């Protein structure tokens, strides 16, 4: 029974013990993310009450300023990750430049994150999430962020949905933990997650189809329809990918005439999700290149992304090539 079983902290420590030379640094890093996630989750739950608790929409009952949820999440991530001392540098989708904290001068890792993805869904009470990607510090410069996705040491996301879930990979499979709010623990609820070889759902913003640069995509989607697929699109990558991981199928955000390199960011969104999906037995591509093989040239670069079950992604690659 999951309730009596493993929680995320013990899981992290037991994973660490499998590596006799581990220093505990990655465990501390992941624990800092876990703490930040719990704080963000608690605030997401209160989001709809901000106006009621706030005064004139500016300050809350304690006289503190009411912050937008995405700004708040960004600050919580920065504070907890910096304070952990495990990260030499942090890059956030919300910041123009990476940050180095004095505590992290000897940190072994760099982390890129999207503190609250799916911002258009915050005001309408629909799932949002936090995504993170950890690489080893190599040179001790900004270049450490520009490593290929296959070099990630760990990646994960936290989905704030009907329950809060933490989905994690350290390159040894994927495990999902559900927050039990009564005890404040993330309990292992989805051990060794595997994406189905094939699904029945496609997830893409079809309103953009006339603007897609790869026009073959329209034929591909039509083929899926002919094969009896149904469509789901939430507009929060975390939620759309989470469903794809569990149920199979494909999620995509292609390049279009408005977003010529796609909309989603390689470092904060595409690469960590690709790592998770591939670790669960699926596949991720920009249409031509495996997402995890792309060498970034800029921390904020965007990329088209298609990920999901092997069957659907291989089929898509056949259409595009
Ligand atoms: P955000 O980082 O500003 O929240 O934007 C990213 C989001 C993703 O979560 C989602 O997959 C995509 O934007 C949806 O975009 P669109 O509304 O163009 O379909
Ligand atoms: Mg985002």
């Amino acid at each position: 029974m999951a309730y009596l079983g493993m929680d995320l902290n013990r899981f992290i420590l037991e994973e660490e013990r499998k590596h006799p030379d581990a220093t505990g640094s990655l465990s501390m890093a992941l624990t800092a993310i876990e703490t930040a996630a719990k704080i963000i989750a608690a605030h997401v739950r209160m989001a709809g009450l901000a106006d009621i608790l706030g005064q004139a929409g500016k300050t809350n009952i304690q006289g503190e300023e009411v912050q937008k949820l995405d700004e708040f999440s960004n600050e919580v991530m920065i504070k907890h990750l910096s304070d952990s001392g495990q990260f030499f540098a942090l890059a956030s989708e919300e910041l123009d430049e990476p940050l180095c904290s004095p505590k992290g001068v000897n940190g072994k890792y760099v982390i890129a994150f999207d503190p609250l993805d799916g911002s258009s869904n915050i005001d309408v009470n629909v799932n949002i999430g936090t995504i993170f990607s950890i690489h080893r510090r190599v040179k001790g410069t900004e270049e450490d962020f520009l490593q290929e996705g296959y070099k990630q040491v760990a990646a994960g996301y936290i989905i704030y949905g009907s329950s809060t879930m933490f989905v994690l990979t350290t390159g040894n499979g994927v495990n999902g933990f559900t927050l039990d709010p009564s005890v404040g623990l993330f309990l292992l609820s989805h051990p060794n997650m595997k994406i189905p070889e094939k699904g029945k759902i496609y997830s893409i913003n079809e309103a953009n189809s006339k603007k897609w640069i790869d026009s073959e995509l329209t034929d591909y989607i039509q083929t899926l329809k002919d094969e009896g697929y149904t469509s789901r699109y939430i507009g929060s990558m975390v939620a759309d990918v989470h469903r794809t991981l569990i149920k199979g199928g494909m999620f995509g955000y292609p390049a279009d005439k408005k977003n010529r390199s796609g909309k989603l960011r390689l470092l904060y969104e595409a690469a960590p999700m690709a790592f998770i999906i591939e670790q669960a037995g699926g596949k991720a591509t920009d249409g031509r290149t495996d997402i995890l093989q792309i060498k970034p040239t800029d921390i904020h670069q965007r990329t088209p992304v298609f990920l999901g079950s092997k069957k659907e992604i291989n089929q898509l690659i056949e259409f595009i090539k």
Side-chain angles (χ1 to χ4, degrees), residues 93 114 117-118 269:
E93 203 201 68
D114 183 350
D117 179 63
E269 291 162 331

Side-chain angles (χ1 to χ4, degrees), residues 253-306:
Y253 206 110
D256 60 39
K257 287 181 185 142
K258 188 171 152 222
N259 303 294
R260 298 200 72 87
S261 304
K263 178 184 179 190
L264 300 177
R265 316 280 186 143
L266 178 58
L267 264 60
Y268 316 106
E269 291 162 331
M273 290 308 203
F275 191 31
I276 292 164
I277 290 290
E278 292 206 358
Q279 282 292 316
K283 202 161 169 162
T285 176
D286 70 357
R288 286 153 188 93
T289 308
D290 189 327
I291 295 282
L292 296 181
Q293 297 297 328
I294 301 174
K295 172 104 175 79
T297 51
D298 182 275
I299 59 163
H300 291 303
Q301 97 186 52
R302 297 171 196 267
T303 178
V305 55
F306 305 94

Side-chain angles (χ1 to χ4, degrees), residues 196-230:
E197 285 284 314
K198 172 190 175 320
K200 295 183 188 137
I201 299 171
Y202 70 87
S203 184
I204 198 162
N205 190 342
E206 257 187 299
N208 297 330
S209 62
K210 289 241 162 61
K211 290 185 242 144
W212 289 340
I213 290 172
D214 284 316
S215 53
E216 302 88 349
L217 270 178
T218 322
D219 299 335
Y220 165 69
I221 296 292
Q222 185 58 47
T223 303
L224 294 184
K225 288 178 188 168
D226 295 343
E227 288 177 13
Y229 279 68
T230 191

Side-chain angles (χ1 to χ4, degrees), residues 3 41 59 61 77 92 95 118 143 168 173 194 211 215 233 292 303 314:
Y3 193 82
T59 47
I61 218 143
M77 287 291 280
S92 163
L95 298 175
E143 257 186 70
L168 173 68
K194 291 286 173 219
K211 290 185 242 144
S215 53
Y233 189 74
L292 296 181
T303 178
N314 286 333

Side-chain angles (χ1 to χ4, degrees), residues 184-198:
L185 293 172
F186 278 107
L187 302 172
L188 181 61
S189 52
H190 295 61
N192 195 18
M193 296 174 90
K194 291 286 173 219
I195 185 168
E197 285 284 314
K198 172 190 175 320

Side-chain angles (χ1 to χ4, degrees), residues 157-202:
Y157 62 80
I158 299 95
I159 178 166
Y160 311 107
S162 42
S163 53
T164 299
M165 259 190 86
F166 195 127
V167 174
L168 173 68
T169 183
T170 51
N172 185 23
V174 180
N175 289 281
F177 302 81
T178 302
L179 183 63
D180 178 344
S182 63
V183 288
L185 293 172
F186 278 107
L187 302 172
L188 181 61
S189 52
H190 295 61
N192 195 18
M193 296 174 90
K194 291 286 173 219
I195 185 168
E197 285 284 314
K198 172 190 175 320
K200 295 183 188 137
I201 299 171
Y202 70 87

